Amino acid sequence: MDERTAGRAEAGLEKTLGTWPVFVAGVGLVVAASTLVSDFVGYFTIGLAFLVALLIAFLINLLLGLSCAELSTTYPRAGALYEYGSRAIPWRGASVVTGLFLAFAFYGMFGFVGALEISAGSFGLQALFGATGSLAPWIIAMTVLATLPNLVHVRTMAIIEAAVLVGMLTTRWFFGLAGWTGFSNTGAWSASNWVSDIGVFEWSAIAGALALAYWSFVGIEFVAPLAEETRNPRRNLPAGIVLGLLAILATSAFMGTGVGGTQPRAEWEEAAMGPAGCDGSCPQLVVGEAMFGGWGRGLMALGTAAATYTSMVIVLAAMPRILYGIARDGYLFGPLSRAFAYLHPRFRTPWVAVLVTAVLYCVVAIFFNDVVALIYAGSYAWVIIYIFWHLLVIISRFTDPDVARPFRLPLAVPILGAAGTVFALYYAFQGQHGTYGLMSLYVFGGALVAALVSYALAGTRRRVRVPGEHGSRAE
């Protein structure tokens, strides 16, 4: 390695992102193809009660976003949960293991989520080309397309992401507007179409829809691993997170209520949950065809593929950076640290981590592509991890009191956030805790084993906490 390359290697990740790239990253991940599924399934099965569930989920995720903003601005490092966990716990060995456990749990949980997202988008891509048969080639194609922008400069990735995101959001707003104005084959919008035997404020229906509603927002914290590449994170991260959540709420509410009001809810439910809607895995294609025929189905298929693309581009930006942050400190399964800490000398992106992550999530998606089932499984584990985000803010206030906190919350925010998340978890999965809790237990158990093995393989490398510094070094 020559001096020029060595100098670049020491330079680390590029700090080039502002408020709008952060906004794009948050919205691009959250407004995914799977949220088209969860939104339409929610609106069509329980009606306007889903909108109430959506508002509750928004408030809970807003608190999460604020906790995420404090942690990511206090410790603006690519490792995200790994960094926060290892800084919040004051005991050397326990701090590293805690950080590794949280990071691996988050990474492993996305084995479910990445699979469902790629699958949902691949259904759309397959429909766009009028193809039938195995979904595997479309899953591979979607993964490759999402990987390519992450091999170049992060700023280039953000530009590509923004361009696709605008088109995808425009599609959603177009269908919502067509519904509200009556500009479609399904006819004029009418409030009577929302009248059903399920009350708007019927708590049993709202509670049952919380998992789907929660899914409409999960992922806003994916901006955290990009904190190290964000200019002025104190301003740009909180602003991007809050604006992103508001945009997501507005899009879901406008599109869902607009489309659903054009014909009776029971008719939508029968079509969306039947064979034409892939038994609930692709209800958006039913919507497209019902409203505008073949070209409407094609447009919705294109929007679905674009939604998956924006989501997976961000996934393959954020998740590899968590591995990179761990490897940079020497804690990624011993000798693997050197490979995963590699940055491309020109683009300053973690190529090895990106490519390995893409392959892993692609393989899972090929073998597991029941979108609705994976939404529930992934959501359960994700909600538990959200509780940890709030707890890390609270714990770090006491264990790391002297660190500078550019964005500091009232302590009531993470406390309310943790309580609200526990509330959502309990009611959203009533009667199903055994099923989805067990699947989550596999993720967390595997993450703990991986954390202990990684720490043991690190050998004599141990994290040294330097007061007043965000980083760390190994001795």
Side-chain angles (χ1 to χ4, degrees), residues 81 89 97 123 136 138 163 280 295 325 337 355 404 458:
L81 276 173
I89 304 301
V97 171
F123 277 121
W138 304 99
W295 76 265
S337 292
L355 294 172

Side-chain angles (χ1 to χ4, degrees), residues 207-235:
L210 271 178
L212 289 173
Y214 210 86
W215 191 257
S216 295
F217 298 97
V218 294
I220 196 67
E221 77 284 358
F222 264 65
V223 303
L226 302 177
E228 193 171 333
E229 296 159 276
T230 301
R231 302 189 310 270
N232 192 0
R234 176 183 180 275
R235 180 193 68 192

Side-chain angles (χ1 to χ4, degrees), residues 5 8-9 12 151-152 341-352:
T5 304
R8 285 178 178 171
L151 300 180
V152 296
Y342 169 79
L343 292 178
H344 188 276
R346 177 182 176 187
F347 298 121
R348 315 307 309 148
T349 48
W351 272 32
V352 174

Side-chain angles (χ1 to χ4, degrees), residues 56 209 282 385:
I56 295 173
C282 61
I385 291 173

Side-chain angles (χ1 to χ4, degrees), residues 415-436:
I415 293 174
L416 287 174
T421 308
V422 171
F423 164 86
L425 180 68
Y426 175 75
Y427 281 104
F429 292 95
Q430 274 189 305
Q432 297 177 309
H433 289 286
T435 300
Y436 297 113

Side-chain angles (χ1 to χ4, degrees), residues 7 9 18 36 59 99 136 171 186 250 270 272 322 347 408 412-413 417 436 463:
L36 276 172
L59 293 174
T171 299
T186 49
E270 182 180 2
I322 293 177
F347 298 121
R408 185 184 181 93
V413 171
Y436 297 113
R463 188 180 182 85

